Amino acid sequence: MPHASLNLDLAARIQQRLTAPDYRRWRARVEATGGCLKPVHLSGFRKLIDRKTGAVLDRNAGTIYAPCGNRRASVCPACSDRYAGDAFQLIRAGVAGGKTIPADVADKPRLFVTLTAPSFGAVHTRPTTRHGKPRPCSCGTFHHPDDPRLGTAIDPDAYDYRGAVLWQGHAGELWHRFTIRLRRELATAAGIRVKDFPRHARLSYAKVAEYQRRGLVHFHAVIRLDGPEGPHDPAPDWADTDLLDHAVRAAAQTAQVSKTLDLDGATAEHRFTWGQQLDVRAIHRPGEVEDGHGNLSDQALAGYIAKYATKGTSTSETPDRRVHSERHIEHLDVHPHHKRMIRAAWQLGGNDDLAFLRRWAHMLGFRGHFLTKSQRYSLTFTQLRGDRRTFQHHAALDALGVEPGSVVVVNHWNYTGNGHADDAERELAEAIYQRKRTNRTTKKEDQP
């Protein structure tokens, strides 16, 4: 029974760590990171000096841990949770106001839009009737919702893996073309010249990428129409949700990216467009998750997109790290369908025009950020993290009974490593994270 033996050894190592003389000090470091599984080790000191007298009011020296900041739940659940929380605040502020964004953004034209990839071949699906009853897949099977074949190619030899990877590699550029096209459609609908559009209105958005089971990304976006100065500026009189809806649909149909690529010694023109599936929903004020027409409320939408923001970084379709050779690909623990996409990306990356695909082969060719936003949609991750540091700093000063402006803070830290010493420490760190998460969930549920 090798597994039982391993579990006993781990339990013994955990018990040994719990009784070690430095356990409390180690635990305090891990608690400060929220239970990070790959903390960054910093050694040095921090001093608080009285600005007038020069006296040292407080001094901490030694080693501290900082969160790794990895967004993948499979790598570090604690940091992934923190990222999801920040994503929620960022999205919600742009939809309903708050965090320096005025509440009247909720009165502006706003849409929740989902853009999809084209089809590159038949895949296993779980279709239903109009009444929600399951129908057989085109392969003749009734698939269970957890069937790992869902989304994968019915006939791998007929599936266009190269085309899928090429589209994925240009998806970010296609989104950029869509936003340009959308501004042109809005200007045309409003009866103004395209070059004058920035003087009348500003297009604000936040989007997240989500992998489908077939390995291609969806883009989910909140799109808002502001005045030319951004969220604090009322939308122009001609702007309404119906006009924005019309412009989004027109832009999705006409946006495209054209590339002349030299593949395997042959030069050809490649055109990348969105798929036929397009979902456009109006955003309503707080209330039910959806109304009778499928329109989303502010609160529901922010949580919805925050979920996608971390789902994209913890997907089972992609490995956690970059691949370095075709031999490496053979040993990846992913579905054969996605492994073929990775292999296609690696092979296409051998062409000079597509060398970037090798760098992003582990992401099935997708090289964009999972969450992006326009400049003035709302606040930034940097601002949120800065606010958190400021709060912690002021709390520390309050504990010492000093005012923020009366002290000088001196920090001197050097990187000395990262991660935990062994699996026993990792298990204990994850237990700390799980306890903190449970406490947060309980506290949230107890709130009226």
Side-chain angles (χ1 to χ4, degrees):
M1 298 179 64
H3 293 296
S5 176
L6 287 173
N7 289 336
L8 286 173
D9 288 344
L10 177 58
R13 289 195 298 275
I14 291 174
Q15 182 61 35
Q16 185 179 19
R17 191 68 187 93
L18 287 169
T19 56
D22 68 335
Y23 174 71
R24 287 189 176 182
R25 186 167 62 251
W26 174 84
R27 181 186 178 90
R29 294 171 184 165
V30 179
E31 290 268 6
T33 68
C36 177
L37 294 189
K38 290 184 174 292
V40 178
H41 301 195
L42 301 172
S43 294
F45 64 86
R46 174 180 182 270
K47 292 194 297 185
L48 294 179
I49 303 173
D50 187 285
R51 189 180 293 274
K52 291 183 179 180
T53 66
V56 176
L57 303 176
D58 188 52
R59 187 179 191 276
N60 292 316
T63 298
I64 62 172
Y65 289 170
C68 69
N70 196 300
R71 301 173 186 178
R72 283 181 176 265
S74 57
V75 176
C76 182
C79 290
S80 180
D81 263 9
R82 187 180 296 109
Y83 176 76
D86 286 349
F88 176 85
Q89 295 296 337
L90 185 152
I91 296 296
R92 186 182 182 186
V95 174
K99 303 285 186 181
T100 74
I101 304 299
D104 59 8
V105 293
D107 298 322
K108 297 181 178 182
R110 301 167 303 160
L111 295 175
F112 178 55
V113 178
T114 299
L115 296 158
T116 62
S119 172
F120 295 97
V123 297
H124 293 281
T125 59
R126 192 170 180 267
T128 59
T129 65
R130 287 185 301 173
H131 303 292
K133 293 183 178 180
R135 295 190 291 111
C137 172
S138 57
C139 71
T141 303
F142 283 88
H143 292 292
H144 186 274
D146 296 326
D147 190 333
R149 291 175 295 174
L150 285 173
T152 64
I154 293 177
D155 182 358
D157 292 333
Y159 192 84
D160 185 9
Y161 285 99
R162 284 167 62 104
V165 169
L166 285 172
W167 184 90
Q168 191 112 287
H170 293 87
E173 189 174 347
L174 181 57
W175 168 263
H176 178 62
R177 295 293 178 86
F178 165 75
T179 60
I180 294 173
R181 191 73 224 174
L182 180 53
R183 292 182 180 91
R184 291 177 179 173
E185 294 291 345
L186 286 168
T188 300
I192 60 178
R193 294 186 301 177
V194 174
K195 67 178 183 179
D196 292 334
F197 180 78
R199 295 196 293 119
H200 293 269
R202 176 180 291 271
L203 186 68
S204 296
Y205 64 83
K207 72 168 176 66
V208 293
E210 179 208 7
Y211 279 103
Q212 300 170 276
R213 290 193 180 189
R214 59 177 173 154
L216 293 165
V217 293
H218 274 165
F219 284 134
H220 303 281
V222 176
I223 298 177
R224 188 185 73 222
L225 200 54
D226 296 330
E229 299 304 317
H232 294 81
D233 197 4
D237 294 337
W238 49 261
D240 60 31
T241 302
D242 290 338
L243 182 143
L244 183 57
D245 183 292
H246 166 79
V248 164
R249 295 180 188 277
Q253 290 177 357
T254 56
Q256 66 175 27
V257 171
S258 295
K259 294 283 184 179
T260 301
L261 301 175
D262 186 5
L263 301 181
D264 305 325
T267 302
E269 184 80 9
H270 294 261
R271 188 166 63 93
F272 307 104
T273 61
W274 298 112
Q276 293 299 311
Q277 290 183 317
L278 172 67
D279 188 31
V280 183
R281 306 190 199 184
I283 303 171
H284 288 263
R285 283 187 171 276
E288 298 297 325
V289 173
E290 295 187 7
D291 64 15
H293 303 287
N295 299 316
L296 294 169
S297 71
D298 298 337
Q299 178 84 7
L301 182 61
Y304 201 46
I305 295 187
K307 177 191 74 174
Y308 287 132
T310 50
K311 181 181 178 183
T313 59
S314 59
T315 179
S316 61
E317 284 79 21
T318 65
D320 289 336
R321 294 175 177 81
R322 290 175 180 163
V323 298
H324 302 289
S325 66
E326 285 196 87
R327 184 178 179 182
H328 184 187
I329 296 172
E330 295 302 321
H331 298 284
L332 294 175
D333 184 20
V334 296
H335 192 282
H337 174 80
H338 304 121
K339 187 175 290 188
R340 289 187 70 158
M341 289 188 71
I342 294 171
R343 188 179 294 110
W346 184 268
Q347 292 171 351
L348 285 167
N351 296 280
D352 291 340
D353 293 339
L354 300 168
F356 65 87
L357 284 175
R358 287 196 170 179
R359 179 180 176 87
W360 300 107
H362 68 300
M363 302 305 293
L364 314 184
F366 179 61
R367 53 177 171 161
H369 294 288
F370 283 97
L371 192 158
T372 58
K373 69 177 191 66
S374 59
Q375 185 176 15
R376 299 192 187 181
Y377 170 78
S378 70
L379 68 170
T380 65
F381 282 108
T382 300
Q383 287 174 289
L384 287 169
R385 292 162 187 158
D387 290 346
R388 192 157 49 237
R389 285 194 298 269
T390 299
F391 176 83
Q392 293 167 347
H393 174 60
H394 286 182
L397 295 182
D398 287 343
L400 294 171
V402 297
E403 295 294 327
S406 66
V407 298
V408 175
V409 182
V410 178
N411 279 298
H412 182 81
W413 301 101
N414 295 311
Y415 169 80
T416 56
N418 66 284
H420 292 292
D422 53 30
D423 54 353
E425 286 194 352
R426 286 191 294 273
E427 287 288 332
L428 289 168
E430 185 163 8
I432 291 171
Y433 154 71
Q434 292 293 351
R435 178 179 57 79
K436 285 181 172 289
R437 183 180 185 184
T438 300
N439 289 343
R440 287 196 304 268
T441 302
T442 302
K443 183 178 180 181
K444 185 176 180 179
E445 291 173 351
D446 289 343
Q447 291 177 346

